[in-house]
Amino acid sequence: MPAIFRDLTERVRAERALAEVSRQYRLLAENASDVVFRASPDRRIIWIAPSVTAALGWDPEELVATELADLFRPDYKIASAQNRVELYTKGQNVNPEGGFLFELRTKSGDYHWVSGHEHALADPDGTPRGVVAGLRDVTDLVKAREEAQRLSDALKASNDSLRDFVAVASHDLRSPLVTIGGFTKILADNWATLSEKDRLKQLGAI
C-alpha cells in the first residue's frame, strides 16, 4: 500500500514559536507588578493575574466570574456606568488621558487608589469580545498629591493673610505719616521765626 508523506516542519516550527510567545506573554502578565485582567462582554472577569494578591489581597480565583465594578466605591460605580457600557457593549475605547482613577476595595475592607487602562477587544467583524485591562496601585501617589494640595492651600492662606496684614498696616500708617509730615514741614519752614516754646510744641506733636 503506497504511503503519503507530508512535510510538517514549518507547521511544527510555527506552533512551537506561537507556544513560546504565549508562554512569554503569560510570564509577563503573571509576574508584572501591575494587575492585568481580561473580562467578557458581560463584564465578568475571565482571568486575572496573580499580582492582584499583592496589590489588593484577593486570590485570583476569588475574582474570576465577578465584575471589577463590584469592588468600586458605590459613588464611583454610578459615575462610571455609561463609560463601561461604551467599553463593553460597543467595543469603544473610552480611556481618559492618563487612564481611569478610582478606588478598589481590598480583601481587608479598605480602599486603594488605582489607575486603570482598559482596551476593548473585538472580532474581525466588530463584535465586542470584552476587554483586557491593566491596573496600577497609585495610593501613595494620590496621598502625595493630596498632601501637596494641602500644603499649597496652607501657603495660599498664609499669603492671603500676609497681604491683608500689609494692606491694613499700610492704611493704618498712612494717616499718622501724613500728620508727621505736615508738622515736620511747618517746623522746617518756620524754624527761624518760631520761639523755643513753639518749636517744642511742634516736636511734641510729631
Side-chain angles (χ1 to χ4, degrees):
M1 184 174 182
I4 299 176
F5 297 94
R6 182 178 298 170
D7 188 350
L8 300 178
T9 302
E10 289 302 319
R11 177 178 173 181
V12 171
R13 185 175 297 148
E15 289 177 348
R16 286 178 178 174
L18 179 61
E20 177 60 18
V21 170
S22 298
R23 187 182 73 84
Q24 295 291 344
Y25 274 114
R26 180 166 289 276
L27 281 173
L28 177 63
E30 291 182 350
N31 293 283
S33 57
D34 290 359
V35 179
V36 180
F37 73 93
R38 182 181 175 189
S40 59
D42 65 358
R43 309 178 190 177
R44 297 192 178 278
I45 295 172
I46 299 172
W47 177 87
I48 189 164
S51 52
V52 71
T53 303
L56 299 172
W58 302 98
D59 292 328
E61 295 77 14
E62 294 178 294
L63 297 180
V64 170
T66 68
E67 294 186 31
L68 185 69
D70 294 337
L71 303 181
F72 289 171
R73 278 197 185 274
D75 51 352
Y76 184 85
K77 188 181 297 187
I78 295 171
S80 64
Q82 184 57 42
N83 282 341
R84 285 184 283 121
V85 169
E86 298 290 326
L87 183 68
Y88 282 87
T89 65
K90 298 183 181 180
Q92 298 178 1
N93 289 316
V94 291
N95 290 295
E97 185 176 354
F100 292 101
L101 184 64
F102 47 87
E103 290 179 281
L104 288 183
R105 178 167 46 83
T106 67
K107 189 171 183 178
S108 63
D110 59 346
Y111 285 85
H112 281 199
W113 281 102
V114 173
S115 172
H117 292 265
E118 299 175 307
H119 180 74
L121 302 176
D123 287 336
D125 63 0
T127 302
R129 299 296 296 170
V131 303
V132 62
L135 306 173
R136 175 172 294 177
D137 190 332
V138 293
T139 302
D140 291 342
L141 177 60
V142 171
K143 288 182 177 179
R145 286 179 177 175
E146 290 175 346
E147 178 63 12
Q149 184 61 52
R150 186 188 68 78
L151 293 174
S152 176
D153 291 344
L155 180 60
K156 182 179 182 302
S158 178
N159 287 339
D160 290 344
S161 296
L162 179 60
R163 185 176 59 251
D164 293 343
F165 169 78
V166 171
V168 171
S170 297
H171 178 270
D172 289 349
L173 288 173
R174 188 176 297 115
S175 294
L177 286 175
V178 169
T179 303
I180 291 172
F183 280 112
T184 303
K185 181 171 175 47
I186 292 172
L187 187 60
D189 291 346
N190 301 283
W191 182 267
T193 61
L194 290 174
S195 65
E196 186 69 18
K197 181 179 178 180
D198 288 336
R199 290 173 183 170
L200 291 175
K201 181 179 180 181
Q202 296 297 330
L203 287 173
I206 293 172

